[in-house]
C-alpha cells in the first residue's frame, strides 16, 4: 500500500532527494566511495557545500552582505547562539508556541527579554497582533510557523530593529524578503533534509557588536570565516539538502511552491470546515499552510483514536496531533503532493460516512 507521510519532523522528503541520497551513499560523485566516508575537504564535497550555499542564495534571493551557513546542534542551538551573538542588553520576543518559549528561556541567560505579546493563555491557537516593539531592543525574534499549534506568520514583518526568525518549519514554503532579516535559522528536518544540519542565513554587519567572549564554535564569525568547514560539517544532510533545493528549483522555485502549498492547505481546511466530525484548532486567519491541526467535534470525541487507526489503515502515517494540542496534525510540507492531501481528504470523507 502507498504510504503518505504526515509526520511533523523529521518529515517527508521528495523522492528525488531520497533517491539521489541513496545513490550517493553507494557511490558519491563517481568517486567510488560513499558520501558517508568521504573527507569533507575532498574537492567533491567542497563543491557540494559551495553549490548548496549558492542554491539557498538563488532560491531565497539572498542579497549581498549575507552568509549562508550549515551548522550542527539543531534549531535549538540557535536559541542560545542568537542571543550569544546579538543580545547586548535587551531583546524582544513574540511568544507564539513551544519553540518560542524555548527560545525565550535561552535568551534570558544573556540579558533582558521583553515578551511583547503572547497567545499562551489560549494554548497558542492564534498569533497576537497589534503589539509594539520598543526601539531600544537589540533585536526582535519570532517563530514564523508554529509547528505544534498550526499557526503561521506569512508576511515578513516591518520592524525598526534587527529581525531574527526561526523558520524551521516553513522555510522555502514561500518567497521571503531576506533583506528585512538579520538572522534566519531553520533546522533541516522539516522542509529540507534529514535531521542533523541547521541552515542559518546571517547578515554580516549584525555581528561583532557584543562585548562578551563567545566560544569559538558558537560564534557565527568562526563559521563564516571557514565557509561552514571550521569543523566537520554534517556531510550527508547537506548533500540531501542540495538535492531538495535542486528539486525545488525544478518545480519553479519558492513562488511556485507557495502556490502549491496554498492550494493543498485550502482544500484540506475546506474539508475540515465541511466535515461534521472535525474542527480546526487554529484561528482561521492564522492557519498554517504547513501544519494543519484539527480535532474531533465535541460530540464525536470518542472516535479520535479510531480515526488515527482508520487513517493508518489507508496508509496515512503520522497524523496524531502533538500531545499539547491533541487530536490530529497533518504536516503538509513542500514534499507532500496534492494527491497525498486528496487521499487524506478522501479518508476523512469515508470516515464521516461510516459514522
Ligand atoms: C522542530 C522545530 C524546532 C526544533 O528543532 P531541532 O532541530 O530539533 O532543535 C525549533 N523550532 C521550530 C519552529 C521547529 O519546528
Amino acid at each position: 500500500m502507498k504510504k503518505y507521510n504526515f509526520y511533523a519532523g523529521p518529515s517527508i522528503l521528495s523522492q528525488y532527494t531520497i533517491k539521489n541520497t541513496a545513490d550517493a551513499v553507494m557511490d558519491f560523485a563517481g568517486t567510488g566511495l560513499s558520501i558517508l566516508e568521504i573527507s569533507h575537504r575532498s574537492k567533491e564535497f567542497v563543491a557540494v557545500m559551495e553549490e548548496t550555499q549558492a542554491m539557498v542564495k538563488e532560491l531565497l534571493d539572498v542579497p549581498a552582505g549575507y552568509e549562508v551557513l550549515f551548522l550542527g546542534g539543531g534549531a535549538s542551538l540557535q536559541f542560545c547562539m542568537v542571543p550569544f551573538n546579538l543580545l547586548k542588553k535587551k531583546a524582544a520576543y513574540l511568544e507564539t508556541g513551544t519553540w518560542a518559549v524555548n527560545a525565550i528561556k535561552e535568551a534570558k541567560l544573556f540579558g533582558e527579554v521583553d515578551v511583547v505579546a503572547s497567545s499562551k493563555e489560549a494554548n497558542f491557537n492564534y498569533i497576537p497582533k497589534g503589539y509594539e516593539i520598543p526601539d531600544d531592543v537589540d533585536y526582535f525574534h519570532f517563530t514564523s510557523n508554529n509547528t505544534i499549534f498550526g499557526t503561521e506568520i506569512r508576511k515578513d514583518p516591518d520592524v525598526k530593529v534587527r529581525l531574527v526568525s526561526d523558520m524551521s518549519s516553513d522555510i522555502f514554503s514561500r518567497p521571503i524578503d531576506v533583506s528585512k532579516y538579520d538572522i534566519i535559522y531553520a533546522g533541516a528536518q522539516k522542509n529540507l533534509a534529514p535531521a542533523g544540519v541547521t541552515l542559518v542565513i546571517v547578515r554580516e554587519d549584525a555581528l561583532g557588536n557584543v562585548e562578551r567572549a563567545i566560544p569559538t564554535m558558537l560564534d557565527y564569525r568562526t563559521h563564516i570565516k571557514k565557509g561552514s568547514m571550521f569543523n566537520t560539517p554534517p556531510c550527508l544532510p547537506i548533500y540531501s539538502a542540495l538535492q531538495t533545493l535542486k528539486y525545488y528549483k525544478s518545480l519553479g522555485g519558492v513562488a511556485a511552491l507557495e502556490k502549491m502549498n496554498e492550494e493543498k492547505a485550502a482544500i484540506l481546511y475546506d474539508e475540515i470546515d465541511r466535515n461534521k466530525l472535525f474542527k480546526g484548532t487554529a484561528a482561521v486567519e492564522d492557519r498554517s499552510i504547513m501544519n494543519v491541526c484539527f480535532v474531533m467535534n465535541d460530540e464525536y470525541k470518542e472516535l479520535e483514536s479510531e480515526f488515527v487507526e482508520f487513517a493508518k489503515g489507508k496508509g496515512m502515517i503520522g497524523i496524531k496531533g502533538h500531545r499539547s494540542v491533541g487530536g490530529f496534525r497533518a504536516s503538509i510540507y513542500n514534499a507532500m503532493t496534492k494527491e497525498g492531501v486528496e487521499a487524506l481528504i478522501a479518508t476523512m470523507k469515508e470516515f464521516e460516512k461510516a459514522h
Side-chain angles (χ1 to χ4, degrees), residues 12 28-29 35 63 102 128 141 152 156 163 185 191 198 206 213 244 254 257 271 295 317 321 341 347 351 353:
I12 186 168
F28 167 55
I35 182 84
N102 291 1
H141 176 286
E152 189 174 15
D156 305 309
L163 185 60
Y185 61 92
N191 244 347
T198 306
T244 299
V254 288
L257 283 162
E271 175 60 17
V295 293
I317 310 300
V341 175
T347 301
F351 194 72
K353 273 219 187 82

Side-chain angles (χ1 to χ4, degrees), residues 18-79:
I18 292 170
K19 162 117 197 353
N20 288 356
T21 302
D23 288 349
V25 167
M26 299 316 293
D27 182 0
F28 167 55
T31 56
L33 299 177
S34 169
I35 182 84
L36 302 176
E37 59 181 359
I38 198 157
S39 167
H40 60 295
R41 309 269 178 214
S42 65
K43 73 172 189 326
E44 291 85 1
F45 187 78
V46 170
V48 167
M49 178 63 96
E50 286 170 357
E51 192 180 359
T52 314
Q53 288 165 342
M55 285 288 292
V56 170
K57 287 187 176 173
E58 182 183 338
L59 284 171
L60 294 180
D61 205 4
V62 177
Y66 287 79
E67 292 287 338
V68 172
L69 303 175
F70 292 98
L71 307 179
S76 297
L77 185 62
Q78 296 307 309
F79 298 160

Side-chain angles (χ1 to χ4, degrees), residues 23 38 157 161-162 232 235 238 253 313 323:
D23 288 349
I38 198 157
V161 297
R162 293 196 185 278
T232 318
C235 298
I238 292 169
R323 62 192 175 281

